[in-house]
Amino acid sequence: MSRPSGFAAAASLLLAVTTVARYCGPAAEEGLWATLLFSLVALTAAGSGRVFAGFLNLADVSDSQKTLIGASLGLGVLSLGSFMLAACGLLNLWAVILLLSLLWVVGFTEMRPMLASLAADRNLLRERPLASVAIFLPLLLCFWMTWVPPHQYDSLVYHLALPQAYVRAGGFSYPPHLIFSHFPQNGEMLFALALVLKSDLMAQMLMWLATALSLCWIFEMGKREAPMNAVLLSCLLLATHTSAMLLSATTYVEPLAMLWSTAAVFSYLRWRQLSPGAGPRSWLCLSALFTGLALGTKYYAGATAALLAVPLAAAALRAHRAQRRAAAADLGVFVGIVTALFIPWLAKNFLAVGNPVFPFFYRWFPMTRTGWSSRSSEAYFHVFTEYGHVGSLGKDLLLLPLRLLTNDPRFGGGADVLGGLGWEAVFWLLPVGIWAGWKNQFLRGLSWFCLAYFGVWFFTAEVLRFLAAILPLLCLLAGSGLHKLWDGLEAWGRRALASAMGFFIGAHLFLFGYVEAGLLRVPELLFGLQSREEFLSRRLDYYPCARRADSAGNGGAVLVVGEQRGYYVKGEHEAATVNAPNRYLSWGAEASDPAALARRIRGEGFSTVLYVPREAARLAPALGPASARAARNWAGLDQYLEPVFQGPACALYKVKVL
């Protein structure tokens, strides 16, 4: 093909994409721009990650695995880089561009081999076109869903609201209404990078990338240990898992915890294969790096860290004297690397709140530096009582299989429902998977880890979303079991098994479509039938007022009453919270009359009040009761508030200067 012909073909593609974007409206245009940014950031992460992975001198690794490892590490490099910028007060556009430019230069020499490394896998997939299409179509559909503006509850409460506050301040800040300010935030640091680049859609795309990379880990590591058909079945189970699909298009950080936990376990088991005794620790170091990154994303990754460290400690204790030093060194290397990657969050918490592992051990660390009492942490943990054991432990254990297979709301109520759908197939096939892989060292180790992790999950908070960290591992076991079961069946049995899996996968895809199209009606946005503003106004009561809030006051902050989801209020603001005392209630109780309350609100720096009555009524039992004086003062505040805007379900007021 001549060069002019190639340019003509590329120009035709560009024109076609532009035409489609014009017909589909602003959502497509914004999505295409975010996709371009995402592609550049993903290439930068993968290229630089390959360079850093090269320092480990990993044994017996293919070039495609180098790319996978590099991309997974590269996301960690971006997160840690954003952390350093925030810690130095340099979280701004020019500093982020400089960081990305430096990483691009570091990884530039790896770009060509990185793209070439995908050729071998493409050839394998071409031999199975139907399986490839069945896996990639759900992935592409989920990527399209990332073009929908963020609207999920926890995303707007803190996953995006915290990075937004950091970007606004140019570094770490501690909004008084966000108890989550002191949780590990490797995921939120990636979101901060995206927000600096003016694209919250790209933040969602990074979580989609984490899901896609988790699938690639199944493929790359699974094809060493199981038949290719079993590996493709495992990939299909993950790609069509309803919770994985829903979470992949959000700014919930479960996909990132899933990626790094999966990579940590696979790397650990690979090290055990290659180094049964004293030997190279490159794969162990890689496992520790991924474990530390996962722990810096979600506290529940501590289960992964502990379950990988315990065998190392046991080996050190039972080793003969000649081997004890090497076994102790294995443990020391693993624990040291994990701790080194987690220490930045421990140090940040200790300096900011006085509790390095906030909100745990709240009775030992009273959090006086935040102005909160230990009740704030106690209130946070009280939320999880709905997932606790309501009867005897033995009865709950016996009923667990039934509850898991019937989507019991106990495992995913409220905001956790996104992580509670589509688990039936992997749970049903787990015993078969353990049986199928028991003679394989790698799969047997995977089985023991999953059983142990499942036990930790059962005896703590039973939130299915928290099991997403090991979902790829469960899918690999389930796919291996499904393949072995298939081999042992006659024709009628195979038809029955194929029908069963068809029903499982069809139900999961139906659930995904029902949520996205039926409940959320996102196709109306994606096909240009609704604007971004219309979609968000329909989904969020407070959004019309949030859009006008920045221009409503006289340079002061916005006090959001009755609504926790403050993300779309772009300026300084304080939202209501169910996890800590709401200051506006105490101001009302302390003020002598409504005029004093108005002066107090202005004195605290707020020039505007955004009120969301319907959400306030819904949250009222959790927001805390108002005293009689507070209720009287707030009821009489109307004469000191000047109406600015009245939305369908919200109101915006300017506080008069007295």
Side-chain angles (χ1 to χ4, degrees), residues 61-81:
V61 59
S62 67
D63 211 39
S64 58
Q65 288 175 353
K66 287 181 184 177
T67 297
L68 173 60
I69 293 167
S72 304
L73 275 180
L75 288 177
V77 172
L78 286 179
S79 176
L80 295 174

Side-chain angles (χ1 to χ4, degrees), residues 582-596:
N582 292 281
R583 295 198 297 163
Y584 58 81
L585 293 178
S586 61
W587 297 341
E590 295 167 3
S592 57
D593 53 38

Side-chain angles (χ1 to χ4, degrees), residues 237-258:
L237 287 172
L238 180 59
T240 58
H241 191 287
T242 307
S243 290
M245 295 178 73
L246 291 170
L247 291 169
S248 70
T250 70
T251 48
Y252 284 39
V253 298
E254 267 66 31
L256 201 61
M258 177 174 69

